[in-house]
Amino acid sequence: MSTLAARDHAVLWHPYTQMQTAALPIPIVRGEGAWLYTEDGTAYLDGISSWWVNLHGHAHPRIASRVAQQLQTLEHVLFAGFTHPPAVELAEGLLEILPPNQRRIFYSDNGSTAVEVALKMALQYHHNLGQPRRTIVAFRDSYHGDTFGAMAVSSRGLLRHLLRLCFLT
């Protein structure tokens, strides 16, 4: 039987990866608290996790219970033209604690998409003012995600110069 890493290498293409020269990925099979575990039991401190894992750790019992409860009601609905109670309730709660000049919440499902939305909002804002912008400022050695716009404003990756040219034409 092949290892998880070998099976992965045979069928998956990972972001920012040149598949002909890439090392096999680290095969994580479970997480607990701040730790990730491989199929051979090696433990890694998760210093790059996302979402709630940053604060609460992997496999947090209360979060897992609430996610399972929500899945019994509604797993997903397209947010373009639809809504649902948890989205409205969370927005109402956030607006209560945010500064008063904040009137609406925009949801994004991941960091790359959040960067894409921020880019579109900034570009649209300046376009609406009649002052279109063609330059986006980003930190040196930055990583903003692996979607088209996020890669274009990141300094990481082989395609960034090509992507920037696409934005400037």
Side-chain angles (χ1 to χ4, degrees):
M1 179 187 221
S2 293
T3 66
L4 180 61
R7 289 171 49 214
D8 173 288
H9 190 70
V11 298
L12 293 172
W13 183 358
H14 291 266
Y16 290 102
T17 304
Q18 193 344 303
M19 295 308 298
Q20 293 181 358
T21 60
L24 290 178
I26 299 169
I28 302 300
V29 295
R30 71 180 183 89
E32 183 179 329
W35 296 93
L36 299 170
Y37 296 91
T38 63
E39 59 192 349
D40 70 2
T42 302
Y44 289 85
L45 179 62
D46 186 358
I48 56 171
S49 59
S50 59
W51 294 8
W52 60 82
V53 177
N54 287 335
L55 297 173
H56 305 293
H58 293 277
H60 189 282
R62 182 160 187 251
I63 294 170
S65 173
R66 293 301 302 259
V67 169
Q69 180 183 353
Q70 180 61 44
L71 290 174
Q72 296 296 318
T73 304
L74 178 66
E75 301 88 348
H76 170 78
V77 66
L78 177 70
F79 210 53
F82 296 91
T83 193
H84 50 83
V88 173
E89 292 162 7
L90 178 59
E92 290 168 341
L94 290 171
L95 289 171
E96 286 179 14
I97 61 173
L98 287 171
N101 65 339
Q102 303 296 307
R103 295 189 314 254
R104 294 192 190 279
I105 300 296
F106 188 98
Y107 292 122
S108 182
D109 64 347
N110 62 66
S112 294
T113 304
V115 170
E116 298 286 329
V117 169
L119 289 169
K120 289 187 280 187
M121 286 180 170
L123 294 170
Q124 184 68 50
Y125 172 79
H126 289 287
H127 175 80
N128 291 351
L129 292 177
Q131 303 168 352
R133 304 295 166 100
R134 297 174 62 86
T135 302
I136 301 291
V137 176
F139 290 109
R140 182 181 313 129
D141 298 326
S142 60
Y143 169 76
H144 298 295
D146 58 10
T147 57
F148 196 80
M151 286 176 68
V153 297
S154 295
S155 59
R156 202 180 153 194
L158 301 172
L159 298 176
R160 67 186 165 89
H161 296 296
L162 175 61
L163 296 172
R164 285 185 182 145
L165 289 174
C166 291
F167 274 114
L168 295 176
T169 58

